[in-house]
Amino acid sequence: MNCWIMNGEDHADDTIAWRLGNQGADPARIYVTDQPEAITSDVAREICREMLARKIDFLSIDPLQSWMGKDVDMHRANETRAWGSPLRQIGAVTGAAVLISRPRRKGQSGDTSLYSGLGSIDISGFARSELGAARTKAGTTYIERIKGTVGKTGGKIADVIEPNTNPGNDHGVLRWSEVPPGPTAAPASTPAKLGQAVKW
């Protein structure tokens, strides 16, 4: 699988490439962009052409606000919908998976509701599937699907950092595992005023 990582926070040479190498990734199959640029309709068409030429199967945009530009308010549904539509078109034309990452709102550590993501709820609206990351009371981090319009929703998946077998490398290696049994986190609740606003 050929991947394109668009990261607006970490540099390719001293962080992203090192992390990929530490995980055993094949650098010949990964294309990295670390200089954020607003993804307009024109830029999206360029991205689409590049993905077809490089046979990219997976596109990661992290975090979304780094690539929205100063003219898009991520809290306005009409603006986020207009920004996200070309990305859906990219997925449709290329057949690639497009992953968009965004920060969480401040609140309960176990809140993985649709309202836990920063910005407009319409960001969840234009996504076909949404994953939420949270932490159990025991400190285990996990990922679960919180919205899906296609396919069956599975269980939670935990990520664990295991010690590196290379004695000269003190950084761990990411491994996926099942979520330990028991309550994962405090139940999420919608604030009363937010609930009233949604009903209105």
Side-chain angles (χ1 to χ4, degrees):
M1 176 185 291
N2 295 333
C3 304
W4 187 351
I5 298 174
M6 298 175 65
N7 192 297
E9 295 183 338
D10 298 315
H11 293 295
D13 54 355
D14 62 6
T15 304
I16 300 174
W18 186 90
R19 287 175 178 169
L20 292 169
N22 195 53
Q23 291 295 124
D26 181 357
R29 291 187 169 274
I30 301 173
Y31 181 49
V32 179
T33 302
D34 62 1
Q35 299 298 315
E37 177 181 359
I39 300 178
T40 61
S41 296
D42 290 338
V43 172
R45 282 191 287 271
E46 291 180 19
I47 291 172
C48 190
R49 286 194 293 268
E50 197 69 25
M51 289 178 66
L52 290 171
R54 294 175 180 265
K55 298 181 179 178
I56 300 293
D57 300 306
F58 177 77
L59 172 64
S60 172
I61 300 174
D62 179 30
L64 83 165
Q65 66 266 32
S66 292
W67 305 92
M68 281 184 160
K70 61 182 178 60
D71 295 327
V72 178
D73 185 344
M74 69 183 297
H75 299 283
R76 292 183 177 273
N78 60 327
E79 296 185 20
T80 55
R81 174 72 62 161
W83 179 82
S85 293
L87 299 180
R88 290 185 61 184
Q89 185 65 20
I90 287 174
V93 172
T94 64
V98 180
L99 174 68
I100 304 172
S101 301
R102 63 173 168 160
R104 296 168 50 85
R105 298 177 189 272
K106 293 181 179 179
Q108 295 178 349
S109 62
D111 183 5
T112 57
S113 69
L114 287 177
Y115 295 98
S116 63
L118 190 64
S120 167
I121 186 63
D122 204 58
I123 296 172
S124 298
F126 70 69
R128 296 301 85 200
S129 181
E130 184 169 0
L131 306 176
R135 186 184 302 272
T136 67
K137 292 182 178 180
T140 302
T141 57
Y142 66 92
I143 294 174
E144 67 176 329
R145 190 181 192 194
I146 58 178
K147 177 209 169 177
T149 57
V150 178
K152 184 180 179 181
T153 297
K156 301 175 179 68
I157 301 176
D159 60 276
V160 179
I161 305 297
E162 297 180 350
N164 201 307
T165 56
N166 181 354
N169 186 341
D170 61 352
H171 295 273
V173 178
L174 176 67
R175 298 284 185 243
W176 298 105
S177 68
E178 295 181 3
V179 175
T184 54
S189 60
T190 302
K193 289 186 179 180
L194 178 59
Q196 293 171 6
V198 171
K199 289 180 182 178
W200 184 84

